[in-house]
Amino acid sequence: MNAEPLPTEPARVSTEPAHVSTEPALAEPVRFDTKIAVLLREDLEPWQRLNVTAFLVSGIGPSVPEVVGEPYADADGVGYLPMFRQPVLVFQGTKETLTAAHARVLSRALPRAVFTSDLFTTGNDRDNRAAVRAVPTAELDLVGLAVYGPRNAVDKVLKGARMHP
């Protein structure tokens, strides 16, 4: 998939006022058939949790393009990048919970991303990939896992994890 380069100046969209609906908002919450979830090891430092989450979800959009919505624009017509069309839920668990979730995501063949403790010592994409490649699957020291798929399947993968506070 070829990505278009980011413009050097903010994108402009129509200056016509956006249509604002006057219909009352529906009381029913929007339900998604799919789920984007991140599972973090509970012993990470706050900066590590943020870093791992950002890295993990960055792999889902390019690999599962249907989860990415349309670009945004503000009232002045300044354009912004598109984002996920649905929330990303963040969970935490023990090292054992993460290892079990990894085994379950592999057995279900769901789209996934991993972050290992070794990645905290690397400084670029090439070295990140080499660090993961150097370790057998069963020996990965996982600190984070992102998964996308049908809600029920993702819930089963995350069994034993709890929502991040």
Side-chain angles (χ1 to χ4, degrees):
M1 173 170 62
N2 293 334
E4 293 184 34
L6 291 175
T8 54
E9 293 184 22
R12 295 286 175 176
V13 294
S14 171
T15 56
E16 295 296 314
H19 173 71
V20 178
S21 174
T22 56
E23 296 179 29
L26 299 176
E28 303 250 345
V30 175
R31 300 283 295 175
F32 296 96
D33 295 336
T34 58
K35 184 179 274 189
I36 301 170
V38 172
L39 174 56
L40 301 171
R41 204 165 75 190
E42 64 188 3
D43 62 348
L44 296 178
E45 295 293 327
W47 73 266
Q48 291 174 317
R49 291 171 186 252
L50 295 170
N51 183 267
V52 171
T53 301
F55 266 90
L56 289 171
V57 298
S58 73
I60 293 175
S63 300
V64 189
E66 64 269 19
V67 301
V68 178
E70 295 296 318
Y72 285 73
D74 64 25
D76 293 324
V78 176
Y80 302 96
L81 296 172
M83 295 185 282
F84 290 134
R85 298 175 349 147
Q86 65 190 85
V88 175
L89 302 173
V90 181
F91 297 82
Q92 68 178 12
T94 63
K95 182 175 183 171
E96 295 76 21
T97 301
L98 206 53
T99 300
H102 184 243
R104 289 190 290 265
V105 76
L106 293 176
S107 71
R108 287 173 171 75
L110 296 173
R112 69 236 170 226
V114 296
F115 197 104
T116 67
S117 63
D118 296 328
L119 301 187
F120 290 125
T121 64
T122 60
N124 61 74
D125 185 53
R126 183 191 66 236
D127 291 343
N128 286 350
R129 286 181 283 111
V132 173
R133 183 175 297 284
V135 180
T137 304
E139 296 175 25
L140 291 171
D141 185 17
L142 298 168
V143 298
L145 172 73
V147 59
Y148 169 77
R151 276 189 5 225
N152 291 343
V154 172
D155 289 342
K156 288 177 183 175
V157 165
L158 299 174
K159 182 178 178 187
R162 61 192 181 282
M163 287 296 291
H164 189 281

